[in-house]
Amino acid sequence: MNYRITLLILIFLTGLFFTGCDQKDDAVEVGFLIHAFDKERWENDRDYFVENVEELGGTVKVMDAQNDADKQLAQAKELLANGVDVLVVVPVDQFAAGAIVEAAHAQGVKVISYDRLIKNCKLDFYVSTDNVEVGALQASYLATIQPKGKYALIGGAMSDNNSQLLYLGQRNVLQPLVERGDIEIVYNEFTEAWDEDEGYQQCKTLLKAHPDVDAIIAGNDELAMGVIRAIHEAGKDGDILVAGMDADLRNLREIVAGHQTCTVYKPYEKLAATAANLAMKLARGENGERTYQTVSNGELLVPTVFHTGMIVNKENLELTVISEGYQREEEVFN
């Protein structure tokens, strides 16, 4: 009897031991390296991402580089030294972040580039919105309202690959109209950062040279806020069409007020959920999602998951960002 009891206890304890090992093996830690929380949308991306990873049984270590590429690399090395299983990176600089991928691969850790593409490295995956399409959405919407006239393009940060993609989408739409003589692009400049003050200064320069400009396409809503401020100072509220991107709350309020024409909403919750699911699969050694789409980052064709953006204007606010739960009606129409 004693022998049987002892045997049962040993079997029970052995089961506990291996169960504990399995649970430990399944405990995934994801490193989420973000360039900065300098825009409203990035806090939302972080929250959605953390929530999705935790629902899948993992944990997330978030690090904010405060727009410092060297700091972001140091943060990546710290996470790798602490045994993180996978890295998800919103790069400060599209080229400098290649060193993060190299450091991760040296330790057998895979890297997902989130929203912004990391260039010239053996990147594992890329999750984003189709930014060429976003640029085309901006230009198409304004061109529908203003099919003839003078246009200005104030692009995003030169260190961000998305700026070039947005520009490509804008030019794809506008170039045929330029060649036909319907539209003249009187101003076309990128910025050093996705910053309201840069949008403001660029728009002041634009309005000084071309006070009769009809439409301005800004790279994002932060730049658009600077554009709107410069337009207001020039006494031209509502006279110039303004497009942005990101569906930030204060920009939606400017749309309601008639100072901004449109923005583009990226499905941030879907982006975060896709990245979280992919990160957990890679961390557990499972095959990542194989899409029918790849994007060249200068080094190789990177497996890519794209989501689709949508135009938001005064007429469809409630049917887009509000019905999606991204913004609250009482705050937008405050």
Side-chain angles (χ1 to χ4, degrees), residues 88 120 122 128 133 203 212 221 231 262 269 288 308:
V88 177
N120 298 345
K122 297 186 183 300
S128 186
E133 180 192 52
C203 190
D212 56 345
D221 279 347
I231 290 173
C262 67
E269 191 166 6
T308 303

Side-chain angles (χ1 to χ4, degrees), residues 53 69 92 235 293:
V53 169
V92 172
Q293 191 156 10

Side-chain angles (χ1 to χ4, degrees), residues 43-87:
E43 294 184 2
N44 293 322
D45 283 84
R46 175 200 60 198
D47 293 345
Y48 289 140
F49 182 77
V50 171
E51 178 183 344
N52 277 276
V53 169
E54 290 179 348
E55 286 179 357
L56 293 169
T59 60
V60 184
K61 178 66 175 178
V62 180
M63 286 197 166
D64 169 13
Q66 299 177 320
N67 282 317
D68 184 329
D70 291 335
K71 183 175 182 178
Q72 189 167 58
L73 176 58
Q75 290 174 337
K77 290 180 176 179
E78 179 184 340
L79 288 175
L80 291 168
N82 290 330
V84 73
D85 298 294
V86 64
L87 289 179

Side-chain angles (χ1 to χ4, degrees), residues 137-174:
L137 285 172
Q138 292 174 307
S140 295
Y141 188 74
L142 293 196
T144 299
I145 302 172
Q146 187 76 39
K148 296 183 179 181
K150 296 183 177 181
Y151 274 63
L153 308 180
I154 299 179
M158 292 183 287
S159 61
D160 185 347
N161 185 63
N162 285 350
S163 301
Q164 287 78 33
L165 298 177
L166 290 167
Y167 174 72
L168 178 60
Q170 294 158 6
R171 291 304 297 243
N172 284 346
V173 171
L174 296 178

